[in-house]
Amino acid sequence: MSLNIAVMVSGGGTNLQSIIDAVKSGVLKSKVKVVISNNKNAYGLIRAKKENIESIHISKKDFKNSAEYEKELLKILKDREIDLIVLAGYLGIIPESIVSEFKDKIINIHPSLIPSFCGKDFYGIKVHEKALERGVKITGATTHFVDSGIDTGKIIKQKAIEIKEGTTAKELQEQVLEVEHKILVESIKNIEQNKVNN
Ligand code: GRF
């Protein structure tokens, strides 16, 4: 089934790019209707523009209160008849009103094997630094549904990789990023095929 997807980004957007490429190659049947970012300089917005996908910068701090922000974000999603919201390197918090309106329709990609190295303050390279500091022998990536917590929703997919002796945090981030790209597309494909339930 083809889904109308909204991808929310805050940074480089390589996960977004993996979704775009999967749609273009026919691996995914869905359509990226809009890319939304809370960071006007996010390269993910550039990636969207290059593919003629609508891109929107919207940030809570530009509104007089959170209710106005939430109302606008909900309108953006509803007006585009979004079926699935994908958080792909999105560093903002999704308002409770949106989480409940889109229950079981928001997924996130996290660069560790949840429940390790996740939750508040665990994002970006910090996740990998903590994994190396702890001395774990494997790490990986997780896709999960978004609920009212941080990285606490039902897990959809996980893929592990071994950490080789001497790997730096930067090298590990690159290795995990490749896994993220793979399981994010697989997770969306499973949702398209109704193979995932929350
Ligand atoms: C990545 O480290 C990823 O783990 C996390 O956000 C970071 C940026 O990803 N989800 P992207 O290149 O912006 O997709």
Side-chain angles (χ1 to χ4, degrees):
M1 148 182 96
S2 171
L3 303 165
N4 286 336
I5 296 176
V7 183
M8 297 184 74
V9 300
S10 295
T14 64
N15 280 289
L16 162 67
Q17 193 62 54
S18 65
I19 299 169
I20 290 170
D21 294 346
V23 169
K24 285 167 77 173
S25 67
V27 166
L28 290 179
K29 305 286 173 255
S30 297
K31 179 178 168 59
V32 178
K33 291 280 282 187
V34 62
V35 174
I36 299 166
S37 182
N38 58 344
N39 169 13
K40 67 181 182 313
N41 300 316
Y43 190 68
L45 293 174
I46 308 280
R47 291 182 191 272
K49 289 187 181 92
K50 284 182 177 187
E51 302 286 344
N52 297 318
I53 296 169
E54 185 183 11
S55 57
I56 297 176
H57 165 241
I58 177 171
S59 172
K60 188 174 172 179
K61 60 180 186 305
D62 298 333
F63 291 80
K64 61 179 187 296
N65 57 50
S66 54
E68 288 301 309
Y69 162 67
E70 291 176 34
K71 197 169 137 211
E72 179 56 28
L73 181 54
L74 184 62
K75 185 173 182 333
I76 288 169
L77 296 165
K78 288 288 185 190
D79 286 357
R80 289 155 186 81
E81 297 179 320
I82 297 301
D83 305 302
L84 180 68
I85 301 168
V86 180
L87 307 186
Y90 184 68
L91 297 181
I93 298 292
I94 302 299
E96 188 52 41
S97 58
I98 304 287
V99 173
S100 50
E101 180 68 30
F102 284 86
K103 185 170 169 11
D104 303 342
K105 293 180 178 175
I106 310 176
I107 66 172
N108 181 45
I109 174 84
H110 183 76
S112 76
L113 296 174
I114 289 176
S116 299
F117 312 112
C118 66
K120 193 170 171 338
D121 296 334
F122 279 95
Y123 57 87
I125 194 125
K126 240 186 273 188
V127 173
H128 308 292
E129 289 165 348
K130 289 293 178 195
L132 292 172
E133 199 178 294
R134 183 66 186 80
V136 293
K137 303 305 174 191
I138 59 164
T139 187
T142 304
T143 53
H144 63 92
F145 285 103
V146 171
D147 62 10
S148 53
I150 301 179
D151 299 333
T152 50
K154 183 170 189 255
I155 288 172
I156 301 168
K157 263 187 181 295
Q158 293 190 301
K159 185 166 177 52
I161 58 167
E162 273 189 59
I163 300 179
K164 293 185 177 50
E165 200 59 44
T167 302
T168 65
K170 190 79 193 104
E171 289 165 344
L172 191 54
Q173 182 174 46
E174 293 304 321
Q175 290 166 26
V176 171
L177 212 42
E178 278 178 41
V179 171
E180 290 176 53
H181 299 161
K182 190 169 165 5
I183 66 169
L184 184 55
V185 169
E186 287 170 357
S187 300
I188 297 169
K189 190 165 181 58
N190 288 356
I191 292 169
E192 280 181 347
Q193 296 171 343
N194 270 317
K195 288 182 183 166
V196 180
N197 47 45
N198 191 11

